Amino acid sequence: MDVKLVMFKRDGQRKDFAITHKTTIIGRGEGCTLRIPVVSISRQHCELIKSDDNLLIRDLASSNGTHVNNQRVNESALKAGDRITLGPTTFTVQIDGKPEEITSARTRSAKSPTEEAEGILELQSDDSSAEYDPISALEALASDSDEDKQ
């Protein structure tokens, strides 16, 4: 089973994250398989469990919850086209190339963009005066992990 989480940046650019492990931990913690450095994401927010013919998402007692198709879940089977929302980030599940066409999804945030940005800036260790884009940070982490594999 070929699984990807697809998201769109604010400028409309698509970004795919391949789920290659049987268990993928998603969260802001450094030990997570897929790291989203945003304060509204728990250190270990949720996990994806992949078998030959099933994909399951399980919330890991996250503060803000794991949502599938706008419904908060503790555990849920996923199918192609489902939308996973974690904090301000929304992914569309693509399984074996389905759905073929994916459109950008609106994201929701429990905090205002200003509050979210202020919380994110607290996580930065270098120039905290720079504008911070969590999607760019997520992409950078994904690029780093791709380079590590080579």
Side-chain angles (χ1 to χ4, degrees):
M1 175 186 308
D2 178 41
V3 177
K4 293 179 185 170
L5 297 184
V6 179
M7 65 177 298
F8 289 87
K9 293 175 59 174
R10 289 183 188 136
D11 65 4
Q13 184 180 4
R14 177 179 163 151
K15 182 67 180 172
D16 294 8
F17 297 91
I19 304 302
T20 57
H21 299 89
K22 286 192 180 268
T23 301
T24 298
I25 304 292
I26 302 172
R28 76 169 195 270
E30 289 185 24
C32 292
T33 317
L34 179 57
R35 188 167 174 239
I36 305 173
V38 176
V39 295
S40 60
I41 305 286
S42 294
R43 285 181 185 88
Q44 289 193 344
H45 198 96
C46 65
E47 66 182 344
L48 293 175
I49 303 161
K50 182 173 87 165
S51 66
D52 291 336
D53 56 354
N54 288 315
L55 181 64
L56 183 73
I57 190 166
R58 180 178 299 140
D59 185 75
L60 297 174
S62 64
S63 298
N64 294 316
T66 298
H67 296 79
V68 176
N69 300 325
N70 296 321
Q71 298 293 316
R72 189 170 182 156
V73 298
N74 288 321
E75 186 173 297
S76 179
L78 295 173
K79 61 185 184 313
D82 282 347
R83 296 197 191 251
I84 301 169
T85 303
L86 311 171
T89 307
T90 298
F91 297 99
T92 301
V93 177
Q94 187 178 49
I95 300 174
D96 297 329
K98 305 277 191 235
E100 290 178 21
E101 191 171 319
I102 298 174
T103 58
S104 177
R106 287 191 154 256
T107 59
R108 62 173 190 75
S109 178
K111 295 182 177 183
S112 73
T114 302
E115 291 171 323
E116 188 70 36
E118 288 170 357
I120 290 166
L121 288 174
E122 291 172 10
L123 294 176
Q124 288 183 274
S125 58
D126 49 288
D127 183 15
S128 65
S129 64
E131 185 175 330
Y132 185 77
D133 177 8
I135 305 307
S136 295
L138 181 57
E139 281 186 309
L141 288 166
S143 296
D144 290 346
S145 69
D146 290 344
E147 290 172 7
D148 291 344
K149 291 178 187 173
Q150 295 176 358

